[in-house]
Amino acid sequence: MIKTYIHLNEILTLQGAHDKDGRNLKPSDLSLIADGAIVFDDSKILWIGQSSDLPLEYRNNAINLKDHVLTPELVDSHTHVVFGGNRAQEYADRLNGMSYEDIAKRGGGILFTMTETQKLTSDELLKLAITRINSIHSYGVGTIEVKSGYGLDYQKEKELTLIIADLKKHFSPNVQIFNTFLAAHDVPRNFKSSSHYLSEVVLPLLQELAPLKIIDAVDIFHEKNYFTDADTRALFNLAQNLEIPIKIHADELNTNRGAELAVSYNALSADHLLKISDEGIKALATSKTVATLLPGTAFFLGKPLAPARKMLDQNVKVAIASDYNPGSCHCDNVLMIASIAAAQLKLNQTELWCGITHNAAHALGKFNQGVLAVAKAPRFSLFKAESLSHITYHWGKNFSVSLP
Ligand code: NIG
Ligand code: FE
């Protein structure tokens, strides 16, 4: 069915940003249309421009959206929403002086959430995840990456990947779910090493699940005391053989050459990057790999932010995501995170918006969205707001409204 929206106060098209592959962005690359109109059907945008130029054939039944702003669809390209329990006590312990690493050493952290996740049935976990995704969607986010990774034994990790596949069916087509296999998230205590866990659980499970075609990407926590270079290469080699795209938790707590590794495997994205090296930045700059920054995590852990400006100035393609999870960032509102982080990361307005729409979509291999242009996918977010600036100016206020 063909639909027309007319008299939008502003349409953010991001055409300029798209033409530059989401890099080296200037304020004018927002490519805003004032008093905009757009025509689309179920699969693509048919026309976009100023309301006064809307062809007569599309004027019948046009929906008047004065006082609204339309943007490319918000994308949260890094979340861990399938989990049991909570880590409120750990957050209090961190405020009182313990570090994330100290808490992990005493058996807390990811392994604590693993125990809490294993206590719940598949149905209970699915219901919790549906509630969390509804909350994320309520801010206007329409594409959401969801990672497994709190099962950490063969059966439970398998269950989590199947739950994410169910989430995808449940929310389609309104919300697109991207299923990331993160069985290599932490090493349970009953395995003698990370490579032992990898060879017993992660690799054979990936091999078993791959033929189901439900996994959209693999991911690994490449970090000291978690997974080594060799583990990461073993997982990525298998993923490449199975033709599954690659993502990585890279250079989060230490400088590990994670960004370089990501680039050498042509990863969709390298995420976190708080401790990325200059060489890592250079490698990303000349690659297709998106640098996904998770400033909410740095805020939540009280760590210095990733060197965003340095990366942007060297032509790195940067996305922003929430990293919503029970431990290192218990915040599900990527728009609020990006709004708060922009001034700290020294992002201009185009970098901010492109980071949570166009570049975040590219971090999921979704190259047909993130720009509002003829023939692109009709995936947008609608806000009841005077202008684009109002949306990020009022931190945390929810301007999102459903599409008519
Ligand atoms: O992205 N860094 C590894 N994984 C998560 C943390 C998960 C947790 O603490 O439960 C992250 O920050
Ligand atoms: Fe994460």
Side-chain angles (χ1 to χ4, degrees), residues 120-175:
L120 299 186
T121 64
S122 195
D123 240 32
E124 290 167 328
L125 288 166
L126 179 70
K127 281 201 185 99
L128 280 172
I130 288 175
T131 306
R132 290 177 186 138
I133 289 169
N134 278 328
S135 173
I136 296 172
H137 182 50
S138 74
Y139 310 121
V141 179
T143 296
I144 305 170
E145 188 256 20
V146 178
K147 300 176 194 295
S148 61
Y150 291 114
L152 300 177
D153 71 25
Y154 198 98
Q155 277 317 315
K156 204 66 181 174
E157 275 302 321
K158 180 171 168 181
E159 204 178 297
L160 296 190
T161 295
L162 295 173
I163 289 172
I164 302 170
D166 284 348
L167 289 170
K168 190 186 281 207
K169 280 195 209 128
H170 177 89
F171 282 102
S172 172
N174 261 8
V175 181

Side-chain angles (χ1 to χ4, degrees), residues 2-312:
I2 293 183
K3 271 192 189 175
T4 302
Y5 297 161
I6 192 168
H7 296 314
L8 285 142
N9 281 21
E10 284 181 330
I11 297 180
L12 171 71
T13 72
L14 286 178
Q15 184 66 59
H18 177 69
D19 292 344
K20 295 158 83 175
D21 189 31
R23 304 168 197 259
N24 186 25
L25 301 174
K26 302 291 174 263
S28 62
D29 294 321
L30 283 174
S31 308
L32 284 169
I33 302 175
D35 189 6
I38 187 166
V39 184
F40 56 97
D41 64 16
D42 291 339
S43 63
K44 59 188 176 309
I45 295 171
L46 301 169
W47 187 93
I48 183 164
Q50 283 188 318
S51 298
S52 54
D53 295 334
L54 181 67
L56 273 181
E57 60 190 289
Y58 295 131
R59 284 184 180 257
N60 278 349
N61 305 321
I63 300 168
N64 188 331
L65 287 177
K66 189 176 158 6
D67 298 328
H68 290 74
V69 174
L70 193 75
T71 72
E73 184 188 73
L74 296 183
V75 174
D76 194 344
S77 66
H78 185 138
T79 83
H80 307 246
V81 302
V82 190
F83 62 87
N86 69 78
R87 307 241 288 277
Q89 185 54 50
E90 283 184 13
Y91 184 66
D93 291 343
R94 283 197 285 106
L95 290 181
N96 294 337
M98 282 188 88
S99 71
Y100 184 78
E101 293 89 330
D102 290 340
I103 288 170
K105 273 185 205 137
R106 77 168 188 207
I110 297 170
L111 294 180
F112 177 79
T113 299
M114 175 192 93
T115 311
E116 296 298 298
T117 302
Q118 286 183 339
K119 285 179 191 164
L120 299 186
T121 64
S122 195
D123 240 32
E124 290 167 328
L125 288 166
L126 179 70
K127 281 201 185 99
L128 280 172
I130 288 175
T131 306
R132 290 177 186 138
I133 289 169
N134 278 328
S135 173
I136 296 172
H137 182 50
S138 74
Y139 310 121
V141 179
T143 296
I144 305 170
E145 188 256 20
V146 178
K147 300 176 194 295
S148 61
Y150 291 114
L152 300 177
D153 71 25
Y154 198 98
Q155 277 317 315
K156 204 66 181 174
E157 275 302 321
K158 180 171 168 181
E159 204 178 297
L160 296 190
T161 295
L162 295 173
I163 289 172
I164 302 170
D166 284 348
L167 289 170
K168 190 186 281 207
K169 280 195 209 128
H170 177 89
F171 282 102
S172 172
N174 261 8
V175 181
Q176 292 186 109
I177 301 292
F178 184 94
N179 191 339
T180 297
F181 178 83
L182 178 62
H185 195 193
D186 201 348
V187 183
R189 290 274 151 99
N190 52 325
F191 290 88
K192 55 181 192 284
S193 64
S194 57
S195 67
H196 182 211
Y197 171 67
L198 201 85
S199 59
E200 292 285 312
V201 173
V202 181
L203 302 180
L205 180 57
L206 181 60
Q207 234 146 357
E208 182 191 332
L209 292 175
L212 303 182
K213 302 279 179 216
I214 54 175
I215 295 175
D216 296 314
V218 302
D219 193 348
I220 186 165
F221 193 13
H222 175 251
E223 184 57 70
K224 197 169 154 228
N225 297 327
Y226 292 85
F227 292 92
T228 64
D229 247 55
D231 299 333
T232 306
R233 287 178 193 281
L235 175 67
F236 288 178
N237 289 339
L238 177 60
Q240 278 190 334
N241 286 339
L242 297 167
E243 297 181 358
I244 299 176
I246 287 167
K247 296 168 85 68
I248 178 172
H249 282 64
D251 301 315
E252 178 180 2
L253 307 173
N254 295 283
T255 305
N256 306 307
R257 301 179 59 81
E260 294 90 317
L261 194 55
V263 170
S264 73
Y265 278 90
N266 200 17
L268 282 177
S269 72
D271 299 31
H272 283 288
L273 308 172
L274 298 181
K275 294 288 186 79
I276 188 172
S277 66
D278 286 350
E279 292 72 33
I281 295 178
K282 276 204 195 92
L284 283 172
T286 50
S287 77
K288 289 190 175 154
T289 301
V290 175
T292 299
L293 308 187
L294 310 163
T297 308
F299 293 151
F300 210 72
L301 297 180
K303 294 192 184 267
L305 293 161
R309 196 62 257 160
K310 207 167 163 183
M311 298 166 86
L312 290 159

Side-chain angles (χ1 to χ4, degrees), residues 365-381:
K366 295 188 180 295
F367 300 105
N368 198 32
Q369 65 184 78
V371 56
L372 299 191
V374 169
K376 294 291 180 181
R379 300 206 69 94
F380 7 79
S381 300

